[in-house]
Amino acid sequence: DIQMTQSPSSLSASVGDRVTITCRASQGISNYLAWYQQKPGKVPKLLIYAASTLQSGVPSRFSGSGSGTDFTLTISSLQPEDVATYYCQSRGFTFGPGTKVDIK
Amino acid sequence: EVQLLESGGGLVQPGGSLRLSCAASGFTFSSYAMSWVRQAPGKGLEWVSAISGSGGSTYYADSVKGRFTISRDNSKNTLYLQMNSLRAEDTAVYYCARAFYYGSGKDAFDIWGQGTMVTVSS
């Protein structure tokens, strides 16, 4: 089974900062990687699939990159509404443990 | 509007059973594989089970295999999760989610229900 890890587990950044979250797979998964955003008390929302394709309606400040085993989710300019936990997900429906993003 | 609406959650004793339902609307239900994903209080997302669009193929996480059964009624646009032999560690919000295929064997969950809470406690 594929294992997904994420780093950091949490971060605090200022509004306008560039934020990067890393997801690593235990084996190569090509571009089979999705990112989800879950705001406090809300339902998860698909942000990115195929490692770098933005889901319709997602702000362009979000971007994804990577292939194989190492992937990143970048928020180019952090906004207050981006406070959430972010999860990666890949083959076998495996989710990463999540990265909690707060405003400093 | 594309929508998923779960129901059937509640409080159940250890060893008990519960059946969750997920009513779909706004899309051709039978064309999509569906999954159940759960989230224990304060914890991350855990995939539970999946079913193909026809219902002919089903998949389970090791943690629920042999205890949970996923099914669907495409004539009623409804997904089900029969949960037996429930344990305290099954306590979670249960979401149904639509699978969106973006490549050969590659999928993601593009539509989620609002979730239904299952509490297993004596």
Side-chain angles (χ1 to χ4, degrees), chain A residues 14-70:
Chain A
S14 300
V15 172
D17 281 355
R18 183 181 184 88
V19 168
T20 298
I21 298 168
T22 297
C23 176
R24 177 164 290 173
S26 59
Q27 59 186 271
I29 55 173
S30 183
N31 69 339
Y32 190 163
L33 197 284
W35 289 98
Y36 300 84
Q37 174 194 62
Q38 186 177 32
K39 296 182 179 182
K42 300 298 185 182
V43 175
K45 173 186 174 183
L46 177 64
L47 292 179
I48 287 170
Y49 61 92
S52 60
T53 302
L54 217 58
Q55 176 70 338
S56 175
V58 173
S60 59
R61 63 180 179 274
F62 291 93
S63 64
S65 64
S67 183
T69 59
D70 295 316

Side-chain angles (χ1 to χ4, degrees), chain A residues 1-4 25-27 29 91-92 94, chain B residues 47 60-62 65:
Chain A
D1 290 358
I2 292 175
Q3 307 299 321
M4 308 298 292
S26 59
Q27 59 186 271
I29 55 173
R91 200 166 65 209
T94 306
Chain B
W47 170 78
Y60 299 93
D62 288 344
K65 202 172 293 182

Side-chain angles (χ1 to χ4, degrees), chain B residues 7 9 12 14 22-24 29-34 42 45-46 52 55 59 64 67-68 71 73-74 90 93 100 119:
Chain B
S7 60
V12 61
C22 171
F29 183 64
S30 60
S31 294
Y32 290 86
M34 299 292 296
L45 301 172
E46 179 190 16
S52 62
Y59 310 88
V64 306
R67 300 188 299 122
F68 290 11
S71 63
D73 186 336
N74 286 342
D90 295 318
V93 174
F100 155 62
T119 302

